[in-house]
Every structure is written in structure tokens, then in C-alpha cells.
Amino acid sequence: MQKYWSVLFGAVITAAVGLFVVAPFMGWWLPRNVSSFGGDVDLLFYLILGITGFFFVLTEAILVYGIWKFSSDPTRKATYTHGNHKLEVLWTIVPAGILVMIGIVQVRTWENIKYQSRMPRPGANTQQIEVVARQWEWRIRYPSPKRMASWRSDPRLAQDFGAVPHQDDVHVPNELHVWRHQKGEEPQKVLVHLKTRDVLHSMKLVNLRLMQDAVPGKTIPVWFMVEEYNTSLHPETGRWVDGFDPKTGHWNQKDYVWELACAEFCGTRHTAMKGKLFVHKNRDDFLEWLKWAEAEDHRRTPAVPSTEP
Amino acid sequence: MNVLFRAQASRQVVVRAALMFVAVIGLAGCDQMMNDRYSLDMRYPPRSDPVFKEATISGEELQYPDRPGQLPILSLANAEDPENPLFKPAKAGMLLAPSKANAEARKNLNESLEKVFGTPARPKVAPDSELAGTLQAELQLDERTLRRGSRLYRIQCLHCHGLSGDGRGPTAFWVNPHPRDYRQGVFKFTSVTLQQSAQKPRREDLLRTLRQGIDGTSMPSFGTMTEDELQAIVSYVIHLSMRGEVEYQVLVELTQNPSLAKPETSVDEWIAGLARYWLDAQKPENEIIPEPYPFALHPETDAEKVAIRDAVRRGATFFADAQVGCVTCHTDYGRNAKFRYDVWGTLTKPADLTTGIYRGGRRPIDLYYRMHSGINGSGMAAFKDAAVKSGKVKSLWDIVKFVEILPYPAMRNEYGIHID
């Protein structure tokens, strides 16, 4: 009877492996990667998945085999062992070696994404955005178009954006707008000044393979560069709308809606703490949107109700 | 025997595990269904918490029963306590316990409320008159929209604002300032010229609050929801507010006069009156239309800069004028402001104008609205007439500009305003 436990164990492990095999075809796999360093992160993910997957299957197979083979004979005499020194050394050194190897392999990717010395400096060509997390939303601050123009003429003026708010800043909650970097051209890097106003939060942009905790009292720099875009001017509404697939020219494409989520449990409505990443085709498109957002955020005349023609 | 026993035991384990698995999966599905909407037999609970009516004293005269910004739980819980400072009508206004009202009258009130406003799962605004059609058309209070709004409200808003819009949902006790209680029918951030009870928000005002959130409070932005969803929530909030205010007004009368078996102003009359306020607020002629903005957004030339500097100085003079009274509440630009009671019985502080956080929005037009018509319920007065009469400013924009630069040291220097 006990023999059949091995069937259950075997079924579970087969199902687990099977799930991994079918997941990519069912759309359950990693969401679209659009950042410059996302490929490196995925590579590490696959490397670690491969190693752990191999050992998972190996150990489970031995387990299932062991249950099948040794459970059925109640008359068999047990043997006692006080350990095997060589074996123990082996199964300590091999995983340790693998761990060290993973540690060495990931250094370059980690350094590229997280080291402050590798971050873009505030200047003429860096997109700067302040993201302030709070329960339960992202309050996001942009420089005004005019301020951005002034950075081009004098990059020193870009230094104080992260530290000092300005009256002409543009505030848009829950919408992180940037523009795309086109491969082979001058890098268009984004520098985010990440803060939190209350508790710990974590900025997670899964399409960028990027995650960073926000810690009370600290301003944490985060950088990324996006290589695809998902936002375009919708001809019917006259608004800049995401979910746009540049290849087909259609909106409402799920693959092109990129979420900005909180990845650190921060209170009751943690799951509702969601924003969106809007990536514009180029600087000009972004500036067009920013001008619209500025006009809204510095509105001086009553808004025309949307119901009126 | 031994083997048999073991086989049985393992079979039991398998059965138990299977049952557990089914139970977990089953409950998960249940949870999904229950989250979707209210159950049909659910009713709006009759109001039982004390009704707070008009605070007429400033907070500093009291030993605070509650902490600033928090739900007035202690003060309201002890409504019967003669020592409760809020209960001394001569000083602090009135605190009225619904339980004192005539039981028959309360029952009738609940019945008529349900007849007109329905239940959480089937909300409606259906007064027994031709008003119903107007309300449904002009305020989008038709049943389909309200039903959708009710479901969205349950998911997104209820945990703070409560089932009946009482601002006492499960999370309400942990946020400061506490969530708005709609049942008084008072909304702070409006863009209408109407005053007092008639100062209802326009749909756009509520929509904007939903889209932008309220900076400086726990109200987040819901801007990633679709226009339709937000409109439905606005409709449902108006429904809750109307229902709550009718209940509030009738209860005020019934509790003040416990022998009364029937309110003098009936539920229907209250609905008619409040509906008129809500409808009036939506009319274009009651929207605040400011003078054209007189300044450059990004001043370049000297003339533009001088224009702003002069305006800021006029605004500063107006602000500092003791007769106008800005400084009475916003003492030391709000950095040293004193506590006072708002109409919900909460201790609040006038805004610190040096922080750059504006709950009603940071757009120039928002600041203009606040100064034009005040902030309903908070004690911030309407300054439109005072500004014109004083002759110190050309328009409210002068004061807006002055307030706008206060939080930014670089701009204060540029325009010669010294606050330290």
C-alpha cells in the first residue's frame, strides 16, 4: 500500500515540471521585458532556474525511486550508518561551489543596475522624476518643460531637482511617464528619486525587471532605460493613452500595459497601490504630453466638462 | 494488524487532505463571489451614532476628548455625559443622540428612507414626484449607474468611508485625518458660487477628488480606473450623501424634540430641498468663473516679473491685514495655527501654507476656488467679497499668487517675501 505514495509524489513532481513546460505557451510566463538590462536579469533567472530545476528533478526522482523500491518489504532488515565523510564533504562543497559561481556571475548585472556610481548623473540628457510612495498611491513629480529646456542650456541647473521641489513642477499621481531609448542612439536614461512619505514601500516595475524598496527618510536613486514604447496620442480622445502596440498600431493591448506596483506589504490597501508606466516614443512626444499635463496641473481656467462638445 | 492499521491511518490522512483541499478551493471561490456585491437582504443600518451639530468654539478652550484629526469617537461616545465639553450646547454646539428620538418616528424614517434610496445592493434615488426623472437624468442617479457604483464603492471605498458613507469603515480608525462622513451633505472642495447648505460639489469636483486623491490625507488617487467607473462612484457617493443628509436633518429635529412623533418637514420635503441644491450646483451659472489669469506662467521679461512681484506684495498685505482675518486662523502663515472644530466634530488645524501641500488641489484654479467660496465645513470663509471691499488687491489672483510662492524659499527671495 505504502508503495503507492511514490505514485503521488511522482505525479506531483511531473505536474510541477509540466506546468513549467506549458506556462510559456499559456501566457503564464514572464511579462514582456522592455528595459535595457532586463535581458541580463532574465538570463540570471534562467540560469538559476536551470540549476535548481536540475537538482529538484534529481532529488525528487531519487525520493520517488526510494519510496517505490524500499517501502514494500516489511521483512527487510534495516541497516544503520553513522555517516560517510566523503559524501558529506561532497554535498557541502558542490552546492557551495554553485552558490559562489552564481554570486560571481551576477555581480556585473547587479553593479549595472544598483551601483550608484553607475547611475546617470542629473544633467541635460537625463530624465529626472521624483516618485513618492505613500499609503496607497504613487505621487509623481516632473520638472516643467521649461525647466527641462534650461537643463539643456546649463546642466548644472539639473542638480537640485531631486532635493528641492519647485513651484512650476508638474504633479501627476500614479502615472510614470518616460520616453524610449532607441538602440544605437544616444542613451536616454531615466533617474528616479524614490522616496516614501510613511512606511516601507517597494517600487516594482516588472516589465523593466526592476524593484527597489523605498525607505522612510531616504532618497534612493533608481535608474533604467526603456527600449520599447507603449503610449501614443489617441486620435479619438486626444489623450496620451498606453496599451499601444507600435507594430499593429492598436490600443488596448494587454502586453503593452505596464504596471507600477508596490511589492512590499504596506497596509490594508497594499494590493490597490498600483500605477502605470507610460513610455513615449521619443522626447518630443514626451514633451507634448508634459505640456498637456502642465496645463492641467497649473490650470487657471475652469475645465470644460467632458460631457459638453 | 499493524499493517492494516497503518493503511487505514494513511487512508484517513489522504481523505483529510483531500477534504481540506476542496474546502480551501471552495472557500476561495466563495470569497470571490462575496466580494463582488452586497447581499440582497442587506439594509443600510439606521444611524445610531450621535449627531454633531455646529461647533462654535475653538479647540484650544477644551481639554481635547479626541486627538486632532481623528474620528470624534470619545467625544461622541459620551454623548450623555454632561461633562463632555462638546455636549454643552452654549459652548460647543449640539451633540444629539438618535436613541432619544421617538421610536415610532425613527422606524418610519428608516422605512421611508429605504423606499426612496433602496438597499446597498439595489440603490436608487426614487422620490415619489416628478423630481425622480430630473435627478436620474441630470445627476446620473439612475439605477443602473448606482448599482455599478455600489459594487465599485464596496471594493474601493467602503473600507474607509463605510457602508452608509459614515466615514467609519474598518480602516477609518487608523487613518488621520479620518475619512469624510458624507451624511452631513457637506463637501469641502467645490467650485460653486453657492454658499452654506447650498454649496454642494459639482460632479466634476468629486471626479477630480477621485482622480487626484487628496494630498496630505489618506485619500489616494483612483486615476487609473476608467472614466465610466469613476462616474458611477460619483453617482453612488451623491446617493449616499443625499440619503445620509435626509436622515441627518430629520434626526436633528427628532432628537431635539423627543416627543415628536412625526418630523415637521417630511422626508419627501427634505429630498426635494436637497435635490434642488444638488441640481443647482451643477448649473453652469453657479460655477465659479474667475477673472482671466493675469500673470505669465513662466515669467520671462522684466515687465512680467514686476507684475507678479507687485501682485505678490498686494496679496501679502491683504493676508496680513487683521481686519480681513487670514492671520487669525493661519497664524504665522499657518505654522502656528490653532486647533478648531469642523462641522463633523473633529479637531482640525488651518493649513500650514509653507508646506506646499494643498488638500483641495495645487492648481492655481483650486486655490482660487478655495478663496472665492471658502472650504465648506472647515471654517475657512469665502473671501470673494472681502477681497473686493478691501481694495488691497486687484483680484483674488493676487492672493493666489502670494500663497503659491510661500512654500518655496527661492521664490520668496525673488519676490521679496520674508516669513522667518
Side-chain angles (χ1 to χ4, degrees), chain B residues 284-308:
Chain B
E285 66 261 32
N286 289 326
E287 187 184 358
I288 299 171
I289 306 291
E291 306 86 348
Y293 188 73
F295 316 115
L297 185 56
H298 298 296
E300 304 264 1
T301 66
D302 281 348
E304 284 169 349
K305 283 181 182 164
V306 167
I308 293 181

PDB file of all heavy atoms in Angstrom, chain B residues 284-308:
ATOM      1  N   PRO B 284     -24.412  75.618 -14.941  1.00  0.00           N
ATOM      2  CA  PRO B 284     -23.229  76.395 -15.357  1.00  0.00           C
ATOM      3  C   PRO B 284     -23.194  77.787 -14.726  1.00  0.00           C
ATOM      4  O   PRO B 284     -22.125  78.288 -14.415  1.00  0.00           O
ATOM      5  CB  PRO B 284     -23.390  76.488 -16.872  1.00  0.00           C
ATOM      6  CG  PRO B 284     -24.309  75.390 -17.251  1.00  0.00           C
ATOM      7  CD  PRO B 284     -25.191  75.127 -16.076  1.00  0.00           C
ATOM      8  N   GLU B 285     -24.376  78.401 -14.501  1.00  0.00           N
ATOM      9  CA  GLU B 285     -24.355  79.778 -13.979  1.00  0.00           C
ATOM     10  C   GLU B 285     -23.888  79.828 -12.529  1.00  0.00           C
ATOM     11  O   GLU B 285     -23.556  80.897 -12.027  1.00  0.00           O
ATOM     12  CB  GLU B 285     -25.727  80.452 -14.140  1.00  0.00           C
ATOM     13  CG  GLU B 285     -26.844  79.838 -13.318  1.00  0.00           C
ATOM     14  CD  GLU B 285     -27.706  78.893 -14.150  1.00  0.00           C
ATOM     15  OE1 GLU B 285     -27.155  78.263 -15.073  1.00  0.00           O
ATOM     16  OE2 GLU B 285     -28.916  78.784 -13.862  1.00  0.00           O
ATOM     17  N   ASN B 286     -23.855  78.679 -11.845  1.00  0.00           N
ATOM     18  CA  ASN B 286     -23.393  78.682 -10.459  1.00  0.00           C
ATOM     19  C   ASN B 286     -21.947  78.242 -10.311  1.00  0.00           C
ATOM     20  O   ASN B 286     -21.444  78.090  -9.197  1.00  0.00           O
ATOM     21  CB  ASN B 286     -24.295  77.793  -9.609  1.00  0.00           C
ATOM     22  CG  ASN B 286     -25.657  78.422  -9.412  1.00  0.00           C
ATOM     23  OD1 ASN B 286     -25.769  79.647  -9.315  1.00  0.00           O
ATOM     24  ND2 ASN B 286     -26.694  77.611  -9.410  1.00  0.00           N
ATOM     25  N   GLU B 287     -21.293  78.003 -11.429  1.00  0.00           N
ATOM     26  CA  GLU B 287     -19.881  77.647 -11.362  1.00  0.00           C
ATOM     27  C   GLU B 287     -19.055  78.918 -11.186  1.00  0.00           C
ATOM     28  O   GLU B 287     -19.404  79.972 -11.719  1.00  0.00           O
ATOM     29  CB  GLU B 287     -19.465  76.935 -12.657  1.00  0.00           C
ATOM     30  CG  GLU B 287     -18.063  76.387 -12.571  1.00  0.00           C
ATOM     31  CD  GLU B 287     -17.602  75.762 -13.886  1.00  0.00           C
ATOM     32  OE1 GLU B 287     -18.411  75.725 -14.837  1.00  0.00           O
ATOM     33  OE2 GLU B 287     -16.435  75.345 -13.942  1.00  0.00           O
ATOM     34  N   ILE B 288     -17.985  78.814 -10.424  1.00  0.00           N
ATOM     35  CA  ILE B 288     -17.104  79.979 -10.260  1.00  0.00           C
ATOM     36  C   ILE B 288     -16.352  80.214 -11.567  1.00  0.00           C
ATOM     37  O   ILE B 288     -15.672  79.313 -12.064  1.00  0.00           O
ATOM     38  CB  ILE B 288     -16.095  79.743  -9.122  1.00  0.00           C
ATOM     39  CG1 ILE B 288     -16.811  79.517  -7.804  1.00  0.00           C
ATOM     40  CG2 ILE B 288     -15.114  80.913  -9.027  1.00  0.00           C
ATOM     41  CD1 ILE B 288     -15.900  79.074  -6.677  1.00  0.00           C
ATOM     42  N   ILE B 289     -16.516  81.383 -12.123  1.00  0.00           N
ATOM     43  CA  ILE B 289     -15.750  81.726 -13.324  1.00  0.00           C
ATOM     44  C   ILE B 289     -14.785  82.847 -12.947  1.00  0.00           C
ATOM     45  O   ILE B 289     -15.203  83.978 -12.727  1.00  0.00           O
ATOM     46  CB  ILE B 289     -16.666  82.204 -14.471  1.00  0.00           C
ATOM     47  CG1 ILE B 289     -17.759  81.163 -14.753  1.00  0.00           C
ATOM     48  CG2 ILE B 289     -15.844  82.500 -15.721  1.00  0.00           C
ATOM     49  CD1 ILE B 289     -17.271  79.876 -15.355  1.00  0.00           C
ATOM     50  N   PRO B 290     -13.518  82.545 -12.806  1.00  0.00           N
ATOM     51  CA  PRO B 290     -12.576  83.569 -12.360  1.00  0.00           C
ATOM     52  C   PRO B 290     -12.270  84.581 -13.455  1.00  0.00           C
ATOM     53  O   PRO B 290     -12.493  84.312 -14.634  1.00  0.00           O
ATOM     54  CB  PRO B 290     -11.319  82.770 -12.010  1.00  0.00           C
ATOM     55  CG  PRO B 290     -11.552  81.388 -12.449  1.00  0.00           C
ATOM     56  CD  PRO B 290     -12.874  81.269 -13.098  1.00  0.00           C
ATOM     57  N   GLU B 291     -11.753  85.737 -13.014  1.00  0.00           N
ATOM     58  CA  GLU B 291     -11.214  86.690 -13.973  1.00  0.00           C
ATOM     59  C   GLU B 291     -10.071  85.999 -14.709  1.00  0.00           C
ATOM     60  O   GLU B 291      -9.456  85.070 -14.179  1.00  0.00           O
ATOM     61  CB  GLU B 291     -10.627  87.931 -13.263  1.00  0.00           C
ATOM     62  CG  GLU B 291     -11.568  88.638 -12.315  1.00  0.00           C
ATOM     63  CD  GLU B 291     -11.545  88.035 -10.910  1.00  0.00           C
ATOM     64  OE1 GLU B 291     -10.980  86.953 -10.725  1.00  0.00           O
ATOM     65  OE2 GLU B 291     -12.119  88.677 -10.012  1.00  0.00           O
ATOM     66  N   PRO B 292      -9.747  86.469 -15.929  1.00  0.00           N
ATOM     67  CA  PRO B 292      -8.620  85.845 -16.637  1.00  0.00           C
ATOM     68  C   PRO B 292      -7.345  85.928 -15.795  1.00  0.00           C
ATOM     69  O   PRO B 292      -7.110  86.924 -15.101  1.00  0.00           O
ATOM     70  CB  PRO B 292      -8.483  86.691 -17.896  1.00  0.00           C
ATOM     71  CG  PRO B 292      -9.794  87.337 -18.072  1.00  0.00           C
ATOM     72  CD  PRO B 292     -10.401  87.501 -16.719  1.00  0.00           C
ATOM     73  N   TYR B 293      -6.562  84.879 -15.837  1.00  0.00           N
ATOM     74  CA  TYR B 293      -5.310  84.818 -15.073  1.00  0.00           C
ATOM     75  C   TYR B 293      -4.373  85.911 -15.562  1.00  0.00           C
ATOM     76  O   TYR B 293      -4.031  85.936 -16.749  1.00  0.00           O
ATOM     77  CB  TYR B 293      -4.688  83.440 -15.285  1.00  0.00           C
ATOM     78  CG  TYR B 293      -3.493  83.121 -14.423  1.00  0.00           C
ATOM     79  CD1 TYR B 293      -3.632  82.841 -13.075  1.00  0.00           C
ATOM     80  CD2 TYR B 293      -2.222  83.059 -14.984  1.00  0.00           C
ATOM     81  CE1 TYR B 293      -2.542  82.517 -12.289  1.00  0.00           C
ATOM     82  CE2 TYR B 293      -1.121  82.733 -14.207  1.00  0.00           C
ATOM     83  CZ  TYR B 293      -1.280  82.470 -12.863  1.00  0.00           C
ATOM     84  OH  TYR B 293      -0.193  82.140 -12.098  1.00  0.00           O
ATOM     85  N   PRO B 294      -3.956  86.802 -14.701  1.00  0.00           N
ATOM     86  CA  PRO B 294      -3.237  87.982 -15.186  1.00  0.00           C
ATOM     87  C   PRO B 294      -1.721  87.807 -15.307  1.00  0.00           C
ATOM     88  O   PRO B 294      -1.051  88.754 -15.714  1.00  0.00           O
ATOM     89  CB  PRO B 294      -3.569  89.046 -14.128  1.00  0.00           C
ATOM     90  CG  PRO B 294      -3.848  88.279 -12.892  1.00  0.00           C
ATOM     91  CD  PRO B 294      -4.278  86.899 -13.274  1.00  0.00           C
ATOM     92  N   PHE B 295      -1.196  86.655 -14.970  1.00  0.00           N
ATOM     93  CA  PHE B 295       0.270  86.525 -14.944  1.00  0.00           C
ATOM     94  C   PHE B 295       0.756  85.555 -16.010  1.00  0.00           C
ATOM     95  O   PHE B 295       0.007  84.731 -16.513  1.00  0.00           O
ATOM     96  CB  PHE B 295       0.742  86.023 -13.574  1.00  0.00           C
ATOM     97  CG  PHE B 295       0.075  86.690 -12.414  1.00  0.00           C
ATOM     98  CD1 PHE B 295      -0.741  85.982 -11.556  1.00  0.00           C
ATOM     99  CD2 PHE B 295       0.253  88.058 -12.209  1.00  0.00           C
ATOM    100  CE1 PHE B 295      -1.371  86.603 -10.492  1.00  0.00           C
ATOM    101  CE2 PHE B 295      -0.378  88.677 -11.145  1.00  0.00           C
ATOM    102  CZ  PHE B 295      -1.194  87.954 -10.287  1.00  0.00           C
ATOM    103  N   ALA B 296       2.075  85.654 -16.273  1.00  0.00           N
ATOM    104  CA  ALA B 296       2.698  84.684 -17.168  1.00  0.00           C
ATOM    105  C   ALA B 296       3.008  83.433 -16.345  1.00  0.00           C
ATOM    106  O   ALA B 296       3.428  83.529 -15.200  1.00  0.00           O
ATOM    107  CB  ALA B 296       3.971  85.258 -17.758  1.00  0.00           C
ATOM    108  N   LEU B 297       2.795  82.268 -16.953  1.00  0.00           N
ATOM    109  CA  LEU B 297       3.089  81.021 -16.228  1.00  0.00           C
ATOM    110  C   LEU B 297       4.587  80.914 -15.964  1.00  0.00           C
ATOM    111  O   LEU B 297       5.020  80.566 -14.874  1.00  0.00           O
ATOM    112  CB  LEU B 297       2.587  79.831 -17.054  1.00  0.00           C
ATOM    113  CG  LEU B 297       2.698  78.459 -16.386  1.00  0.00           C
ATOM    114  CD1 LEU B 297       1.990  78.436 -15.050  1.00  0.00           C
ATOM    115  CD2 LEU B 297       2.132  77.370 -17.298  1.00  0.00           C
ATOM    116  N   HIS B 298       5.372  81.191 -16.985  1.00  0.00           N
ATOM    117  CA  HIS B 298       6.827  81.227 -16.832  1.00  0.00           C
ATOM    118  C   HIS B 298       7.301  82.639 -17.163  1.00  0.00           C
ATOM    119  O   HIS B 298       7.562  82.935 -18.320  1.00  0.00           O
ATOM    120  CB  HIS B 298       7.489  80.230 -17.785  1.00  0.00           C
ATOM    121  CG  HIS B 298       7.094  78.821 -17.531  1.00  0.00           C
ATOM    122  ND1 HIS B 298       7.397  78.158 -16.377  1.00  0.00           N
ATOM    123  CD2 HIS B 298       6.400  77.939 -18.291  1.00  0.00           C
ATOM    124  CE1 HIS B 298       6.921  76.926 -16.428  1.00  0.00           C
ATOM    125  NE2 HIS B 298       6.313  76.772 -17.583  1.00  0.00           N
ATOM    126  N   PRO B 299       7.365  83.519 -16.164  1.00  0.00           N
ATOM    127  CA  PRO B 299       7.731  84.908 -16.467  1.00  0.00           C
ATOM    128  C   PRO B 299       9.124  85.005 -17.094  1.00  0.00           C
ATOM    129  O   PRO B 299      10.072  84.425 -16.583  1.00  0.00           O
ATOM    130  CB  PRO B 299       7.683  85.583 -15.093  1.00  0.00           C
ATOM    131  CG  PRO B 299       7.780  84.484 -14.106  1.00  0.00           C
ATOM    132  CD  PRO B 299       7.153  83.296 -14.740  1.00  0.00           C
ATOM    133  N   GLU B 300       9.205  85.736 -18.212  1.00  0.00           N
ATOM    134  CA  GLU B 300      10.485  85.886 -18.906  1.00  0.00           C
ATOM    135  C   GLU B 300      10.958  87.329 -18.821  1.00  0.00           C
ATOM    136  O   GLU B 300      12.061  87.609 -18.370  1.00  0.00           O
ATOM    137  CB  GLU B 300      10.321  85.511 -20.390  1.00  0.00           C
ATOM    138  CG  GLU B 300       9.760  84.117 -20.619  1.00  0.00           C
ATOM    139  CD  GLU B 300      10.853  83.094 -20.852  1.00  0.00           C
ATOM    140  OE1 GLU B 300      12.030  83.488 -20.804  1.00  0.00           O
ATOM    141  OE2 GLU B 300      10.507  81.910 -21.073  1.00  0.00           O
ATOM    142  N   THR B 301      10.082  88.228 -19.254  1.00  0.00           N
ATOM    143  CA  THR B 301      10.501  89.628 -19.341  1.00  0.00           C
ATOM    144  C   THR B 301      10.420  90.293 -17.967  1.00  0.00           C
ATOM    145  O   THR B 301       9.789  89.777 -17.043  1.00  0.00           O
ATOM    146  CB  THR B 301       9.586  90.400 -20.301  1.00  0.00           C
ATOM    147  OG1 THR B 301       8.284  90.441 -19.707  1.00  0.00           O
ATOM    148  CG2 THR B 301       9.513  89.725 -21.658  1.00  0.00           C
ATOM    149  N   ASP B 302      11.075  91.454 -17.868  1.00  0.00           N
ATOM    150  CA  ASP B 302      11.050  92.199 -16.608  1.00  0.00           C
ATOM    151  C   ASP B 302       9.633  92.625 -16.249  1.00  0.00           C
ATOM    152  O   ASP B 302       9.234  92.561 -15.092  1.00  0.00           O
ATOM    153  CB  ASP B 302      11.963  93.435 -16.701  1.00  0.00           C
ATOM    154  CG  ASP B 302      13.415  93.019 -16.509  1.00  0.00           C
ATOM    155  OD1 ASP B 302      13.628  91.848 -16.094  1.00  0.00           O
ATOM    156  OD2 ASP B 302      14.317  93.833 -16.781  1.00  0.00           O
ATOM    157  N   ALA B 303       8.897  93.058 -17.289  1.00  0.00           N
ATOM    158  CA  ALA B 303       7.531  93.521 -17.025  1.00  0.00           C
ATOM    159  C   ALA B 303       6.697  92.405 -16.395  1.00  0.00           C
ATOM    160  O   ALA B 303       5.953  92.636 -15.433  1.00  0.00           O
ATOM    161  CB  ALA B 303       6.886  93.990 -18.330  1.00  0.00           C
ATOM    162  N   GLU B 304       6.839  91.193 -16.922  1.00  0.00           N
ATOM    163  CA  GLU B 304       6.073  90.055 -16.375  1.00  0.00           C
ATOM    164  C   GLU B 304       6.469  89.792 -14.932  1.00  0.00           C
ATOM    165  O   GLU B 304       5.633  89.496 -14.083  1.00  0.00           O
ATOM    166  CB  GLU B 304       6.312  88.811 -17.232  1.00  0.00           C
ATOM    167  CG  GLU B 304       5.555  88.835 -18.547  1.00  0.00           C
ATOM    168  CD  GLU B 304       5.999  87.730 -19.501  1.00  0.00           C
ATOM    169  OE1 GLU B 304       7.023  87.063 -19.242  1.00  0.00           O
ATOM    170  OE2 GLU B 304       5.313  87.547 -20.507  1.00  0.00           O
ATOM    171  N   LYS B 305       7.775  89.887 -14.666  1.00  0.00           N
ATOM    172  CA  LYS B 305       8.247  89.621 -13.307  1.00  0.00           C
ATOM    173  C   LYS B 305       7.771  90.697 -12.334  1.00  0.00           C
ATOM    174  O   LYS B 305       7.372  90.391 -11.203  1.00  0.00           O
ATOM    175  CB  LYS B 305       9.775  89.542 -13.289  1.00  0.00           C
ATOM    176  CG  LYS B 305      10.262  88.210 -13.839  1.00  0.00           C
ATOM    177  CD  LYS B 305      11.761  88.098 -13.804  1.00  0.00           C
ATOM    178  CE  LYS B 305      12.180  86.768 -14.406  1.00  0.00           C
ATOM    179  NZ  LYS B 305      13.587  86.712 -14.749  1.00  0.00           N
ATOM    180  N   VAL B 306       7.806  91.960 -12.803  1.00  0.00           N
ATOM    181  CA  VAL B 306       7.362  93.061 -11.946  1.00  0.00           C
ATOM    182  C   VAL B 306       5.882  92.911 -11.632  1.00  0.00           C
ATOM    183  O   VAL B 306       5.442  93.093 -10.489  1.00  0.00           O
ATOM    184  CB  VAL B 306       7.648  94.422 -12.625  1.00  0.00           C
ATOM    185  CG1 VAL B 306       6.908  95.540 -11.897  1.00  0.00           C
ATOM    186  CG2 VAL B 306       9.144  94.693 -12.640  1.00  0.00           C
ATOM    187  N   ALA B 307       5.108  92.505 -12.647  1.00  0.00           N
ATOM    188  CA  ALA B 307       3.663  92.325 -12.441  1.00  0.00           C
ATOM    189  C   ALA B 307       3.416  91.306 -11.336  1.00  0.00           C
ATOM    190  O   ALA B 307       2.575  91.516 -10.456  1.00  0.00           O
ATOM    191  CB  ALA B 307       3.003  91.868 -13.735  1.00  0.00           C
ATOM    192  N   ILE B 308       4.173  90.224 -11.379  1.00  0.00           N
ATOM    193  CA  ILE B 308       3.987  89.188 -10.354  1.00  0.00           C
ATOM    194  C   ILE B 308       4.440  89.695  -8.992  1.00  0.00           C
ATOM    195  O   ILE B 308       3.775  89.493  -7.974  1.00  0.00           O
ATOM    196  CB  ILE B 308       4.746  87.902 -10.734  1.00  0.00           C
ATOM    197  CG1 ILE B 308       4.109  87.281 -11.971  1.00  0.00           C
ATOM    198  CG2 ILE B 308       4.744  86.905  -9.591  1.00  0.00           C
ATOM    199  CD1 ILE B 308       4.737  86.010 -12.441  1.00  0.00           C
TER     200      ILE B 308
END
